[in-house]
């Protein structure tokens, strides 16, 4: 797996995303071996500071992204996940698109038993959007 590194690339160093990483955020994600591959357990990450841009208005969209997954062979390294989320800061993308892209990218690098990505977007125009994508569907 191309994201399988002997040690995480982002820990202990100042991290500045390159234009290539921003264009292809999946390349930012680092993984490590699941320390208990024979055990069914869940990992949950909550990122309350997610930002992307509305592709129509260019206005910022703010969300809390919650990822819950049952690892198979690999786990995602937390700092790389944070940097991955930051790559969306200036991307114009609809709620549904970003939620499903996050799920697709994480499933591709981790191959989890199951995973849920919930994107809880802040109220805009009097409406709150909450998008949930699951693997397996």
């Amino acid at each position: 797996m191309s994201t399988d590194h002997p040690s995480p690339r982002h820990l202990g160093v100042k991290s500045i995303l390159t234009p290539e990483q921003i264009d292809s955020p999946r390349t930012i994600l680092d993984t490590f071996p699941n320390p208990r591959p024979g055990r069914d357990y869940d990992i949950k990450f909550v990122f309350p500071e997610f930002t992307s841009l509305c592709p129509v208005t260019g206005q910022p969209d703010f969300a809390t992204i919650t990822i819950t997954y049952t690892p198979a062979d690999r786990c995602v390294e937390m700092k790389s996940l944070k940097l991955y989320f930051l790559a969306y800061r200036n991307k114009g993308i609809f709620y549904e698109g970003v939620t499903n892209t996050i799920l697709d990218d994480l499933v591709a690098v981790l191959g989890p038993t199951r995973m849920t990505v919930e994107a809880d977007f802040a109220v805009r125009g009097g409406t709150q959007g909450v998008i949930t994508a699951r693997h397996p569907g």
Side-chain angles (χ1 to χ4, degrees):
M1 197 177 280
S2 64
T3 57
D4 183 16
H5 300 282
S7 61
R9 298 171 291 168
H10 304 291
L11 287 178
V13 296
K14 184 176 179 180
S15 300
I16 298 173
L17 297 178
T18 66
E20 294 79 18
Q21 289 172 315
I22 292 169
D23 287 342
S24 183
R26 184 184 294 185
T27 63
I28 298 167
L29 296 168
D30 282 338
T31 67
F32 60 91
N34 178 356
R36 295 290 185 267
R39 178 176 291 156
D40 222 17
Y41 68 98
D42 290 335
I43 298 171
K44 182 176 184 176
F45 292 114
V46 179
F47 188 76
E49 299 176 350
F50 182 85
T51 308
S52 60
L53 297 177
C54 172
V56 175
T57 66
Q59 295 297 309
D61 288 324
F62 301 98
T64 296
I65 305 290
T66 302
I67 296 167
T68 306
Y69 73 102
T70 303
D73 296 327
R74 310 295 303 169
C75 298
V76 68
E77 190 278 313
M78 198 175 348
K79 183 176 179 185
S80 75
L81 183 61
K82 179 182 106 170
L83 293 170
Y84 170 84
F85 288 143
L86 291 176
Y88 286 93
R89 181 171 237 121
N90 293 315
K91 283 189 183 288
I93 188 167
F94 288 109
Y95 297 174
E96 299 82 357
V98 74
T99 306
N100 281 284
T101 299
I102 291 168
L103 180 66
D104 292 344
D105 287 349
L106 288 169
V107 167
V109 299
L110 296 175
T113 303
R114 57 190 164 269
M115 178 177 281
T116 301
V117 175
E118 180 180 273
D120 185 349
F121 284 87
V123 174
R124 271 188 100 179
T127 305
Q128 180 179 15
V130 179
I131 313 300
T132 304
R134 293 176 188 85
H135 165 81

